């Protein structure tokens, strides 16, 4: 069984984001990169299947710049068998990314039985790549998955929707599963795991190698800017018990008269 | 002029508000498609906000959502009408369906836009990234139709909508092959509006101390029709479900009113709620970062302030 896991490298959530001088992208020079947090659930789910099925092979795939290969090495240190990196700059759109992922999977010569991804990359928040990839691979997909069971070739996946309700899907492999928090608890990479990961194979391709060109661009972005800062608000000190009632009444009244909300 | 379709979802037979927001912005130049039947009053509502035609797609296996069934049925319909643009709300269904549908056409999708223009019939949108720490302009290129999802509550309801003809028609639709199908739906404990669509949100943080204490927030929520959210610290401590988490690794929300109770205002939390129109913060620490983003800050103990506030809201609303 061949399992592919798509992982994206994203700026650490502590990162202070600033647009670059001409507003054509963000300033990336001082960013610390991490594996997209949702992709950790995807890697873990693949490894859980591998634990139960020794013949399973787990390949992690990433499209992005080579600056560092942190996310792929981390996934291999957690236990993935091998990795593929498609070298690209960091501003491709979701369509090109999905096409590159498909190209990389096809090029591996392995027939994919399962493809795991995160439900969302926390930098661009498009929630698109897994669904586009599924359509391109002609596979069914279930996204925002918080429960996963596999029995032979049948998968039961719980998808979280509005208000915390769950849709329970039944689907056969091959399929694409996009993982949400709550699915499992990702393991940490052990020290021996980290050492071993250094020797695991990492294939590297160019975009052209996997059949993606400039003509595949579908979305253009520009004008990166910081959101307008809010003017300072009003602050009331209600630590003194005798003033609490008065202050709360005042704020509630302002919500109607000034903010016109209630 | 472009030929524009808005895909609408319904909730208990009622059109989701985000559809009306989108129609308002398109100012009477769009058709609407819905899966299954739609009551006459809802067709009228769509017409009032600008729907020229309301297409009801009907066929076997379309009663429940499935990514493949919906995208098969809609793609055939969109082809038959040669739409240039397809809009939908960035809801659970919209976010799942529209990228797949776009891929059927090999087309692009601008996702989760918070604003857009259609000057000369060409789309240009604004979307936040890094959970709202930064904004950028998005434009679409390549084969049509072009797809756009719009964040609920971001555009706002049009005050004076341009009405459309609202001619309703049934369309025979084919769900085709569905490999991933819903077998069962497990209802959520609360029947409240989802955080991402809520107009008012009250969130609790680590200071709530336990799950039981969330009842003080629930009581206020009942009075003002709010949905209750939580910080990650509250979720990780087991006080609240993950579906309630607001922030960079939870839900990104933009309600009209966000009330943060006992939440410090970490960068990852702010990222998920900073686009709220009005923010109220209640915190015992006068230097908590949340106060820098709050329109109205109350330095005080949430366990005394929130119940007083609930009473004040009751008075104000005559409840
Ligand atoms: C300002 C801005 C606006 C953008 N707007 C749009 C837009 O509206 N429409 C659009 O099509 N594109 C857009 N993009 C591009 C898009 O964000 C990138 O293509 C991105 O890599 C894919 O989207 P995402 O990061 O949101 O991933 P998501 O679709 O949210 O990611 C879900 C999962 O897909 C997998 N995945 C995603 N990217 C990769 C990767 N590079 N390598 C391996 N696996 C991956 C991961 O498993 C991830 O968890 C925008 C980019 C920017 C900078
Ligand atoms: C990768 C990553 C992703 C993350 N994603 C998210 C996310 O999506 N969402 C999120 O929220 N966080 C996220 N975090 C966590 C974030 O960094 C903070 O740890 C978290 O938001 C803190 O939650 P809190 O404000 O409830 O708790 P604290 O920071 O502990 O704040 C509690 C606050 O309550 C106040 N307080 C105490 N008692 C009372 C009282 N009786 N009345 C009123 N106020 C009181 C205190 O003064 C304090 O300000 C993420 C972190 C990482 C590393």
């Amino acid at each position: 069984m061949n399992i592919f896991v798509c992982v994206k490298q994203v700026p650490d959530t502590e990162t202070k984001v600033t647009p670059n001088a001409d507003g054509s992208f963000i300033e990336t020079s001082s960013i610390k990169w991490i594996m997209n947090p949702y992709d950790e659930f995807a890697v873990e789910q693949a490894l859980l299947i591998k634990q139960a099925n020794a013949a399973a092979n787990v390949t992690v795939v990433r499209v992005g710049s080579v600056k560092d290969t942190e996310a792929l090495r981390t996934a291999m240190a957690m236990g993935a068998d091998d990795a593929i990196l498609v070298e690209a700059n960091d501003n491709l759109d979701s369509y090109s990314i999905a096409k590159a992922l498909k190209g990389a999977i096809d090029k591996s010569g392995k027939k994919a039985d399962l493809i795991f991804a995160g439900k969302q990359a926390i930098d661009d928040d498009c929630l698109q790549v897994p669904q586009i990839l599924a359509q391109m691979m002609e596979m069914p997909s279930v996204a925002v998955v918080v429960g996963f069971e596999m029995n032979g070739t049948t998968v039961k996946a719980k998808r979280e929707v509005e208000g915390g309700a769950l849709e329970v899907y039944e689907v056969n492999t091959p399929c694409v599963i996009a993982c949400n928090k709550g699915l499992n608890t990702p393991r940490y990479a052990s020290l021996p795991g980290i050492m071993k990961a250094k020797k695991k194979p990492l294939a590297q391709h160019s975009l052209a190698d996997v059949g993606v060109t400039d003509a595949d661009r579908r979305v253009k972005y520009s004008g990166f800017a910081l959101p307008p800062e809010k003017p300072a608000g009003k602050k009331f000190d209600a630590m003194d018990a005798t003033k609490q009632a008065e202050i709360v009444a005042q704020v509630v009244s302002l919500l109607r008269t000034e903010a016109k909300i209630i | 002029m472009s030929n524009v379709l808005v895909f609408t979802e319904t909730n208990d037979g009622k059109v989701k508000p985000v559809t009306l927001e989108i129609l308002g912005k398109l100012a009477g130049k769009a058709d609407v498609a819905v899966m299954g039947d739609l009551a006459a009053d809802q067709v009228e509502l769509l017409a009032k906000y600008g729907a020229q035609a309301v297409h009801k797609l009907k066929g076997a296996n379309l009663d429940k959502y499935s990514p493949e069934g919906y995208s098969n049925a809609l793609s055939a319909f969109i082809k038959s009408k040669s739409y240039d643009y397809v809009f939908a709300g960035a809801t659970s269904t919209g976010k799942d369906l529209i990228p797949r549908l776009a891929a059927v056409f090999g087309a692009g999708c601008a996702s989760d836009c918070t604003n857009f223009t259609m000057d000369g019939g060409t789309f240009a949108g604004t979307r936040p990234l890094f959970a709202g720490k930064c904004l950028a302009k998005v434009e679409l290129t390549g084969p049509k139709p072009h797809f756009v999802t719009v964040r609920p509550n971001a555009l706002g309801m049009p005050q004076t909508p341009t009405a459309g003809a609202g001619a309703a028609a049934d369309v025979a639709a084919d769900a085709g092959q569905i490999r991933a199908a819903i077998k069962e739906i497990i209802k959520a404990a609360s029947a409240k509006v989802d955080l991402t669509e809520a107009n008012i949100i009250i969130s609790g943080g680590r200071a709530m101390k336990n799950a039981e204490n969330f009842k003080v927030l629930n009581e206020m929520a009942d009075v003002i029709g709010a949905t209750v959210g939580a910080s990650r610290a509250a979720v990780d401590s087991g006080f609240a479900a993950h579906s309630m988490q607001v922030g960079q690794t939870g839900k990104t929300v933009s309600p009209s009113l966000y009330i943060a109770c006992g939440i410090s205002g970490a960068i990852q939390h702010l990222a998920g709620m900073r686009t709220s129109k009005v923010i109220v913060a209640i915190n015992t620490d006068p230097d908590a970062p949340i106060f820098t983003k709050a329109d109205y800050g109350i330095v005080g103990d949430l366990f005394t302030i929130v119940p007083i506030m609930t009473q004040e809201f009751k008075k104000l609303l005559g409840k």
Side-chain angles (χ1 to χ4, degrees):
Chain A
M1 179 167 45
N2 295 310
I3 306 173
F4 287 85
V5 186
C6 307
V7 302
K8 186 179 185 184
Q9 209 163 270
V10 298
D12 186 343
T13 55
E14 294 286 346
T15 304
K16 200 165 174 314
V17 175
T18 40
N20 63 11
D22 63 357
S24 62
F25 203 58
I26 53 161
E27 195 52 72
T28 53
S29 53
S30 59
I31 289 178
K32 178 173 170 270
W33 299 92
I34 56 166
M35 186 195 301
N36 180 38
Y38 293 106
D39 301 354
E40 294 180 15
F41 304 108
V43 173
E44 177 64 29
Q45 200 58 44
L47 295 177
L48 288 174
I49 296 173
K50 188 179 156 71
Q51 267 169 14
N53 179 347
N57 185 87
V58 177
T59 306
V60 283
V61 197
R62 175 183 157 239
V63 182
S65 62
V66 271
K67 278 191 298 283
D68 69 75
T69 49
E70 194 52 39
L72 293 178
R73 288 287 170 206
T74 304
M76 286 194 286
M78 285 167 74
D81 297 289
D82 46 57
I84 309 174
L85 172 64
V86 179
E87 199 186 331
N89 64 25
D90 285 317
N91 73 0
L92 292 183
D93 61 16
S94 300
Y95 180 85
S96 307
I97 298 274
K99 193 172 177 192
L101 289 169
K102 178 183 184 323
I105 293 171
D106 289 348
K107 210 177 158 64
S108 75
K110 294 181 201 140
K111 193 192 138 296
D113 295 296
L114 263 170
I115 302 176
F116 287 105
K119 71 149 185 182
Q120 160 184 16
I122 61 157
D123 50 355
D124 306 330
D125 293 329
C126 288
L127 291 100
Q128 295 204 48
V129 171
Q131 294 88 306
I132 299 173
L133 178 62
Q135 179 65 33
M136 287 177 173
M137 303 284 297
E138 296 175 13
M139 287 183 191
S141 61
V142 187
V144 199
V145 169
V146 294
F148 179 94
E149 275 169 50
M150 195 162 140
N151 213 323
T153 57
T154 307
V155 167
K156 206 170 159 186
K158 291 196 180 122
R159 161 173 155 81
E160 186 182 304
V161 294
E162 267 106 24
L166 299 175
E167 296 174 349
V168 186
Y169 284 78
E170 213 165 82
V171 57
N172 285 323
T173 58
C175 60
V176 177
I177 301 288
C179 307
N180 193 15
K181 181 171 175 172
L183 178 61
N184 53 40
T185 309
R187 68 195 68 192
Y188 289 103
S190 65
L191 195 58
I194 294 169
M195 299 313 290
K196 261 207 223 147
K198 293 194 171 130
K199 295 196 207 82
K200 289 183 178 173
L202 193 159
Q204 215 159 308
H205 307 305
S206 68
L207 277 176
D209 290 341
V210 295
V212 176
T213 67
D214 285 346
D216 289 313
R217 182 163 285 281
R218 299 289 183 264
V219 182
K220 295 185 288 186
Y221 23 88
S222 57
F224 286 71
L226 293 174
E229 273 302 325
K230 278 198 162 185
K234 299 189 170 126
K235 195 154 98 181
F236 304 90
D237 186 347
M239 290 307 274
D240 179 350
T242 61
K243 291 199 198 136
Q244 282 163 351
E246 186 195 325
I247 284 168
V248 174
Q250 191 182 350
V251 170
V252 166
S253 140
L254 284 169
L255 285 175
R256 170 163 281 180
T257 56
E258 190 177 69
K260 301 197 169 38
I261 297 284
I262 295 285
Chain B
M1 232 20 265
S2 319
N3 196 2
V4 181
L5 180 70
V6 181
F7 169 68
T8 185
E9 291 165 65
T10 55
N11 194 353
D12 282 337
K14 302 233 180 315
V15 162
K16 287 208 171 176
V18 64
T19 307
L20 306 178
E21 296 182 65
I22 299 170
L23 281 174
K25 193 83 189 176
L26 292 167
K29 299 192 189 73
D31 292 351
V32 171
V34 64
M35 287 296 175
D37 212 3
L38 194 64
D41 67 323
Q42 294 300 302
V43 173
E44 258 168 53
L45 183 67
L46 288 169
K48 179 178 159 205
Y49 281 87
Q52 294 300 343
V54 177
H55 300 284
K56 300 187 259 186
L57 275 60
K58 295 182 179 173
N61 301 326
L62 291 171
D63 52 329
K64 264 187 298 199
Y65 171 66
S66 67
E68 293 161 291
Y70 272 39
S71 75
N72 291 337
L74 274 168
S75 60
F77 171 69
I78 291 164
K79 271 179 206 147
S80 76
K81 295 276 181 186
S82 310
Y83 286 109
D84 299 306
Y85 286 95
V86 179
F87 284 79
T91 59
S92 284
T93 297
K95 286 176 183 167
D96 195 46
L97 170 68
I98 302 299
R100 181 176 266 273
L101 186 57
V104 172
F105 292 90
C109 173
S111 67
D112 210 14
C113 295
T114 51
N115 204 354
F116 68 87
T117 55
M118 288 297 281
D119 289 343
T122 303
F123 166 87
T126 307
R127 74 180 300 274
L129 61 157
F130 300 101
K133 289 181 205 164
C134 186
L135 295 173
K137 180 178 172 190
V138 281
E139 292 162 287
L140 291 157
T141 174
K144 291 221 171 158
H146 290 167
F147 292 80
V148 181
T149 61
V150 177
R151 177 179 297 183
N153 285 337
L155 299 174
M157 281 294 173
Q159 292 307 317
T160 49
T162 317
D170 284 358
V171 178
D174 184 0
Q177 191 199 10
I178 300 175
R179 291 165 297 180
I182 299 179
K183 293 291 171 209
E184 187 194 345
I185 293 178
I186 304 173
K187 286 225 160 50
S190 114
K192 292 248 163 67
V193 185
D194 190 67
L195 282 174
T196 55
E197 294 178 57
N199 193 38
I200 305 180
I201 294 173
I202 308 173
S203 285
R206 195 194 309 274
M208 297 308 296
K209 295 203 194 78
N210 57 45
E212 170 76 354
N213 284 338
F214 267 78
K215 74 170 190 294
V216 301
L217 306 189
N218 288 327
E219 280 162 10
M220 178 148 85
D222 287 340
V223 173
I224 54 177
T227 299
V228 175
S231 72
R232 172 161 156 184
V235 170
D236 286 354
S237 313
F239 310 162
H242 177 246
S243 61
M244 291 165 69
Q245 184 177 320
V246 172
Q248 194 164 3
T249 53
K251 289 182 174 151
T252 307
V253 300
S254 40
S256 304
L257 176 59
Y258 188 92
I259 306 180
C261 308
I263 292 178
S264 60
I267 188 166
Q268 298 94 347
H269 190 82
L270 296 176
M273 44 65 78
R274 59 183 296 159
T275 57
S276 305
K277 276 163 211 91
V278 173
I279 297 171
V280 173
I282 303 169
N283 197 306
T284 44
D285 174 6
D287 299 321
I290 188 78
F291 285 127
T292 65
K293 296 286 176 261
D295 298 278
Y296 303 104
I298 301 179
V299 182
D301 183 337
L302 77 95
F303 293 107
T304 53
I305 302 295
V306 172
I308 301 175
M309 202 175 246
T310 305
Q311 293 312 317
E312 286 298 327
F313 279 130
K314 272 193 189 160
K315 272 194 238 161
L316 187 71
L317 299 166
K319 288 192 179 175

